């Protein structure tokens, strides 16, 4: 029984680690694309830097929020899965 | 029986973790593409920043909604799958 | 018998989770591409923003509809598969 | 015998879920590409918006039709496969 | 024997579902590329919209025909495979 | 023996379904690329539409011919494989 | 022995179906690229359409020849493989 | 039992090592994209270098934060997984 | 012994079918790229069509030669492999 | 027991070697992209080379930091994993 | 023993067939890229066609040489592998 | 026991060989991108070649450093892994 | 024992055949890219053809050298691997 | 024991052959990119050819050095792996 229970935690660990990594990767790329446009804009038109920075921050925050969702799900998988209690008790209950 | 029941929760965990990660990744990229255009627009034409920001937010919200769907399905898979009750009861019912 | 029945629910969960994720990802990208054009258009030509927004919303709605199809099929797979009743009864009927 | 019959429904579920997802993804991308051109056209030339919208809708409808084919086949696989009756009867006929 | 016969229907279902999905995806993309050019053309030169629409429709129809081929083969695989009769009779002939 | 014979029909079905799908996909893309050029050409230079359409149709026909080859081979695999007779007779010859 | 002989025909069928499909796909794409240039050329410079069409046809014919090679090999694999006779005789020789 | 417990640590190690690597890779690419725009901007318009550098640093910091999330999760998987204690005790408890 | 001998012919068939298909695909693409340039050149500068066609044909012939190498090796694998005689004699020598 | 313990070190070695390689690859690409912009900037505007080099170095340092994270985790996996002591002792404890 | 010896010839056949195919594919693409430039050059500047053709042929010959290396290795694998004699003698030595 | 110990060295060898290859590949590409910009810059503006070369060398050195990290880890895996001593002693300790 | 020894030669053959093919492919592509630039340069500026050809040949030679490395390693694997003697002697030493 | 020892040499051979091939491929591509820029530069500005060639050679040498690293590691894996002696002695020590 314990071998299967450990399989469950292995799946949690894999999904948490790789899932967050994938989300962070592409959200990072997305922020890089937005950042690129902002930096180009500021360099071309320095006096618009206030508005550009505000717009950029709104967008970066929304992209960040997507990554936060993945972070939250990863932490749920590590710390707060509803069946984790029951399954963990199988480990000690041989 | 329990080994199979754990297999079910493993599949839920995998689908929830990776599914959300994939959706967050590409929706993040999509928001990054939209953000890039908005930032470029504001930098080139600062007095249009109000309309640009509004249009951007409408679009970001619709992209966000797609990711929310995936988040909802992920949470359903973790917390509210209709057969989860029955299957979880198999764990304690040895 | 129950092990096989659980295999069925595992397949439903996997198809629902990943299927929706894939559809949401690419539809999100598509909306991002449309959004980019709309934002660029508004920034370049602010007085056309009404028509641009209307055209964008028609397109975003049609893309959203494709993702809704996938969401509907995902929910069917989780909650309303025609054989699910029969198969679920195999779980308790040992 | 039932294990194999369940394998059949698992294949149906997988093909329906992923097949529709793939079709919806790329048709969504295609609509996004069309939408992008339409929005750019309206922004650049607002008085042509009527004709542009009509042309766009014709195209979007044809792309949508391709996705509908996949949706129809998915629903056939879930609800109306010609051998499904016979195979489902194997489940209860132990 | 029945397990193998079910394997056959599983292969049919998989090939039909995914095959059509792949064909619909890329034909959809192709139509999107054609649509994009048509919409851009109409926006830039509205009085040519009649000829553009006709040319576009000829092309979309030919692309649609390729997808129809895949649809026909998918339906053949589901409803009219020449050996399906013989193989289906193996299911009930235990 | 029958299990192996069914394996043969499974391979035919898979090769026919996916083979045609792949060919239809990329030939569709190719037609989309050709169509795009034709539509752009007509929009930019409407009085050349006759010659453009003729050239386009020659090209589309040649691309279509490639897809027809794949369709023919798919139908051969389903209906007219030279060994199919012999192998099908193994099914009933238990 | 027959199971192995069937494996041989399965390999022939797979190689013939997918091989031709791959060749047809990319040769189709290649023809699409050539066609695109021809159509653009005719639209931009209608009086050169004779020479353009001739050049295009020479090129399309050479690309078609590559696909014909694959078609020939596919048909050899289905109808005229040198060892097919010997191997087919194994089927009836139980 | 210990073999399974080691499987758990293997999964942690794999997820930590590859997960962080993937996140670092793409966040690095994203920073490279932002950096490129900044350097181009400074080279084209040297007197805007202050504002450009500030904007760039805000963006790089936000991208860095995404990679830090992945680093934190990697370290949690190596040093602070909630079930690690219990599972590690299985190693010595033969 | 015969099963292994058939494995050898299966490998030959697979390598011949897919190998030629891959070579034909990419050489076809290469010819398409060359053709595109030639057609564009003729359309832009019709009086250079003689020299363009000659240059194009030299290039296409060299690309064709690469595909012929693959065709030759494919036919060697089907008809003239040095060990094929010995191995084929294993089939009848049970 | 030792076979499993060695599995653990194999996983560490694999994750360390490939993880660092992946991170170094893409961070290298990112630095290459940044470097390209800097070199272009210096060539186009040699008197800005001081500011360009400073900006470039800030960016390269931040990208380098991401790769250092992966290097640190790789070295932790090789030299300082918290359970490595316990597991290594299993090797000599036969 | 013979089964293993056949495995060796299977590996030779696979490496020869696919290896040459891969090399021919990409060298073909490379020649297509070079050809494209040459044809464009001749079309734009017909009186330079002599020098262009010479330069092109030098380049094509060097690319062809790379493919010849792969062809030589393929033929070595089929006809002249140093251990092939010994291994082939295992086939008849049952 | 020795079979497992050899597995460990196999993993080291694989990680060292492929890891370094991947890192060298992409760092090479990155250097190629940087080199391209430098050469273009020198050709366009020869008198800036001193500053360009210096900037290029700083960047190439930083990219080289990333590849050196991978080389160091590869050599550690081959020559200086902390557990290698213990594991190698298992080989002679049969 | 001989089966394993043959496995070794199979690995050599595979690595030699595919390794050289991969290296030849991409080095061929690289030469194609260099060739393209040279041909374009000669066509645009015919009197520079001497210097262009020299520069091109230096570059092509260095790329060729990389492919020669792979060819040398391939031939070492086929003809001169240090352990090949010992392993080959296992074949005859049954 | 010998089977495992051969596995080790198989891994060395695979890592050496493919690792060098991958590194040579991408470093070749990188050199091709650098070469392209140099050739274009010489063609556009022939009197800068001395400086361009020097800069190009510095860059090509650094890229070559990365490939040399991989070559060195490949040769180490074939000729000088520290445990190879011990493992090779296992072959004759039956």
């Amino acid at each position: 029984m314990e071998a299967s229970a450990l399989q469950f935690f292995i799946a949690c660990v894999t999904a948490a680690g790789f899932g967050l990594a994938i989300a962070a990767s592409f959200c990072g790329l997305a922020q890089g694309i937005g950042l690129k446009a902002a930096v180009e804009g500021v360099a071309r038109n320095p006096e618009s830097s206030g508005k550009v920075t505000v717009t950029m921050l709104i967008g970066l925050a929304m992209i960040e929020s997507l990554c936060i969702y993945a972070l939250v799900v990863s932490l749920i998988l590590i710390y707060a899965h509803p069946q984790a209690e029951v399954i963990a008790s199988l480990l000690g209950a041989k």
Side-chain angles (χ1 to χ4, degrees), chain A residues 5 7 10 15 19 26 32 40 43-44 52 63 66 75-76 79:
Chain A
Q7 285 284 330
I10 289 171
F26 286 93
E40 280 176 350
R44 212 176 284 146
V52 164
I63 297 171
L66 292 176
L75 294 178
I76 287 176
Y79 288 115

Side-chain angles (χ1 to χ4, degrees), chain A residues 36-94:
Chain A
K36 179 193 158 199
V39 170
E40 280 176 350
V42 170
R44 212 176 284 146
N45 191 358
E47 62 273 19
S48 73
S49 78
K51 282 184 175 171
V52 164
T53 308
V54 167
T55 312
M56 182 186 79
L57 283 177
I58 295 174
L60 293 192
M62 289 204 67
I63 297 171
E64 194 92 10
S65 76
L66 292 176
C67 190
I68 300 288
Y69 294 165
L71 180 63
V72 166
V73 167
S74 284
L75 294 178
I76 287 176
L77 293 185
I78 297 180
Y79 288 115
H81 189 280
Q83 274 86 28
E85 288 290 300
V86 182
I87 296 168
S89 69
L90 293 173
L91 285 176
K94 194 157 69 173

Side-chain angles (χ1 to χ4, degrees), chain A residues 17-40:
Chain A
F18 282 103
L20 180 58
I22 293 171
S25 303
F26 286 93
C27 290
L29 267 185
Q31 292 191 343
I33 292 170
L35 174 58
K36 179 193 158 199
V39 170
E40 280 176 350

